[in-house]
Amino acid sequence: DTAVSQTPKYLVTQMGNDKSIKCEQNLGHDTMYWYKQDSKKFLKIMFSYNNKELIINETVPNRFSPKSPDKAHLNLHINSLELGDSAVYFCASSQDSTNYNEQFFGPGTRLTVL
Amino acid sequence: AQSVTQLGSHVSVSEGALVLLRCNYSSSVPPYLFWYVQYPNQGLQLLLKYTTGATLVKGINGFEAEFKKSETSFHLTKPSAHMSDAAEYFCAVTPRSNDYKLSFGAGTTVTVRA
């Protein structure tokens, strides 16, 4: 009964490829997020969707495109992968009913671009 | 914009000793405050949060944190470290304006010596 799940857990690919990471939450939350954690473990928000609508879109290359088919899913598609995209990507979700938006995180997807 | 500073990127303590991790925020209006823990190769888990009310907050695994408005701080403590506390700890803030953005500090790596 995993709350926030991501697939795959590990992703190794060549430069120039296109890849997707999937995220699903079974918490009934309204908002979902994608974060990038770099090699120094710094975490930065990339995108956020609220009820399938994009609400946060930080300065991220347009090779990254989030897609939310429904409230429970937020996928991340990356085109033309570059070496600098290597990182751990975390999905998270939160419930709108609390002002403080406590976020619940998935286990992460470690992306390695060769 | 919210800013979070964690003093000390690495903290090493002996088993049974006090753990003290420092976090300061920079905003004129106190934000909502969180501490997350990340165990090796895992996602982030919420340790505790401060939203309102009592300024001393107790969390999981024996951790607690105290919100001090005058010092713009939210330091995390545990009286007696256990080997299982070895992990990465992140302080995070989100503004009370509910803009969904969670800003993280750079993280503090805790190692516990036997």
Side-chain angles (χ1 to χ4, degrees), chain A residues 37 58 99 101-103, chain B residues 36 38 46 49 98 101:
Chain A
Q37 185 176 45
E58 294 294 283
N99 286 336
N101 285 311
E102 177 182 335
Q103 295 184 23
Chain B
Y36 282 87
Q38 184 180 22
L46 183 69
K49 62 181 180 285
N98 197 21
K101 288 188 182 180

Side-chain angles (χ1 to χ4, degrees), chain A residues 20-108:
Chain A
S20 291
I21 307 172
K22 295 186 176 183
C23 178
E24 176 181 1
Q25 54 95 3
N26 63 5
L27 297 166
H29 287 170
D30 301 304
T31 308
M32 296 184 72
Y33 311 78
W34 276 111
Y35 288 85
K36 179 179 180 181
Q37 185 176 45
D38 63 22
S39 58
K40 295 184 179 178
K41 301 208 171 178
F42 186 69
L43 278 153
K44 189 162 173 25
I45 182 81
M46 299 173 69
F47 301 104
S48 178
Y49 270 75
N50 177 264
N51 285 311
K52 302 196 300 176
E53 184 178 334
L54 183 67
I55 57 170
I56 296 175
N57 187 356
E58 294 294 283
T59 308
V60 176
N62 58 14
R63 297 181 294 102
F64 289 78
S65 53
K67 286 185 173 54
S68 182
D70 56 59
K71 212 171 74 164
H73 295 84
L74 179 61
N75 303 323
L76 183 65
H77 189 74
I78 316 170
N79 289 326
S80 303
L81 277 155
E82 300 177 358
L83 293 176
D85 297 333
S86 296
V88 181
Y89 293 85
F90 287 100
C91 178
S93 70
S94 68
Q95 179 57 272
D96 275 4
S97 60
T98 64
N99 286 336
Y100 48 84
N101 285 311
E102 177 182 335
Q103 295 184 23
F104 293 78
F105 285 79

Side-chain angles (χ1 to χ4, degrees), chain B residues 4-40:
Chain B
V4 186
T5 303
Q6 288 184 240
L7 285 174
S9 58
H10 290 86
V11 168
S12 180
V13 298
S14 298
E15 194 172 18
L18 171 73
V19 180
L20 170 60
L21 305 182
R22 299 178 189 275
C23 173
N24 288 86
Y25 63 89
S26 63
S27 63
S28 54
V29 176
Y32 296 119
L33 298 147
F34 305 83
W35 274 100
Y36 282 87
V37 60
Q38 184 180 22
Y39 297 106

Side-chain angles (χ1 to χ4, degrees), chain B residues 2-84:
Chain B
Q2 298 287 326
S3 173
V4 186
T5 303
Q6 288 184 240
L7 285 174
S9 58
H10 290 86
V11 168
S12 180
V13 298
S14 298
E15 194 172 18
L18 171 73
V19 180
L20 170 60
L21 305 182
R22 299 178 189 275
C23 173
N24 288 86
Y25 63 89
S26 63
S27 63
S28 54
V29 176
Y32 296 119
L33 298 147
F34 305 83
W35 274 100
Y36 282 87
V37 60
Q38 184 180 22
Y39 297 106
N41 298 314
Q42 294 187 30
L44 280 78
Q45 181 181 4
L46 183 69
L47 273 177
L48 48 79
K49 62 181 180 285
Y50 173 75
T51 57
T52 187
T55 56
L56 182 61
V57 180
K58 294 189 186 302
I60 61 171
N61 302 339
F63 284 93
E64 60 184 37
E66 186 170 12
F67 166 62
K68 291 187 177 180
K69 184 177 177 180
S70 61
E71 298 177 8
T72 61
S73 68
F74 191 55
H75 301 331
L76 181 72
T77 59
K78 181 173 180 177
S80 177
H82 192 272
M83 297 299 287
S84 60

